[in-house]
Amino acid sequence: MIIDVAKDFSRYPAGRVPEDGDNNGTRFREHILVPALKDAQRNHTTVVVDIDGVRSFGSSFLEEAFAGLIRLGKFNRNDVKKLLEVRCTKPHLFIFRDAITSYINAAKTDEQLLAH
Amino acid sequence: MNNCLPTEDWSNKLVFVFIGALIAYFFQQIRVSAAEQIALVNDHIKDIEKFSDAAQGYWLKQPANIQEEAALAAKVRTTHAATTLVYDEMSKACGASGDKYRQLMQALFEAATGGSFETSGREIDPLRAIETHDTAAQLIHLLRCSRRDILSIRRIFRYRIDFDR
């Protein structure tokens, strides 16, 4: 399954929670990413998130949408790494692709955060 | 008759001249390529400074209303977009420091647009402004050091130089 962020969500994703606007990270995670990942898990396939059409991201959006999957216990890190692939062919967007990978690698669950 | 025809001595001289011209052309191309890369690094440093200034302006000002918040955030986003245009090219230009460059660019992105960036309850965050400035300074220092490396002759043998650029 392919999620084209620009077409299926917004070219200008921004903010974390619904109060921050319609194109926030929570909405992307809950309405698009989680259902797609669950579907992929059931069918033993992968989800490709294509970020090519997006103008830019805020770090807050990316953290909420991608690290939020692990932080909120929706999926564990290994599952996310196995099920999710970020596609990006435009060199000026490579930094966002790298940032998504780094957020997924650094994400901690709320329990882990409390333990620290 | 012999004076009119090229002798072996003459053809040797021609070969030397040709090789000399070829070497001169090769080094000239390296100089042009290095000069272009240095100009790119200088422009990139200016873009990072603008991004850092915009981010500090954002985190050190409490917006009066939603419009002002959107305007400040847009300035941060647009100045950041200018820095990402050469992200891939700069990681290569930094040579051995390419990984460190990518790490610092991400740290700067995280410091400037992380936390409560573009959120409704956003408050002034002086620590984030300091972190942004600090990370930008480290990044600029790394790029300045890379300028020396770009000019280095050793680099020619370490990295492939792309003359097609």
Side-chain angles (χ1 to χ4, degrees), chain A residues 67-77 107-116:
Chain A
L69 292 169
I70 297 158
R71 181 161 34 81
L72 301 171
K74 308 268 178 191
F75 294 90
N76 65 43
R77 195 190 324 280
K108 286 187 169 68
T109 60
D110 282 343
E111 287 86 34
Q112 285 172 323
L113 287 169
L114 282 173
H116 276 84

Side-chain angles (χ1 to χ4, degrees), chain A residues 12-16 19-20 56-60 62 91-92 94-96 98-99 102-103, chain B residues 77 80-81 84-88 102 105-106 109-110 113-121:
Chain A
Y12 303 94
R16 283 181 183 275
E19 291 77 39
D20 305 332
S56 78
F57 290 99
S59 165
S60 50
L62 294 178
H92 72 280
F94 284 177
I95 188 167
F96 301 117
D98 292 352
S102 134
Y103 290 136
Chain B
R77 269 187 182 243
H80 180 249
T84 63
L85 287 173
V86 289
Y87 174 70
D88 196 40
R102 280 192 292 274
M105 274 293 280
Q106 275 184 48
F109 170 60
E110 165 68 31
T113 68
S116 56
F117 182 74
E118 288 181 321
T119 61
S120 52

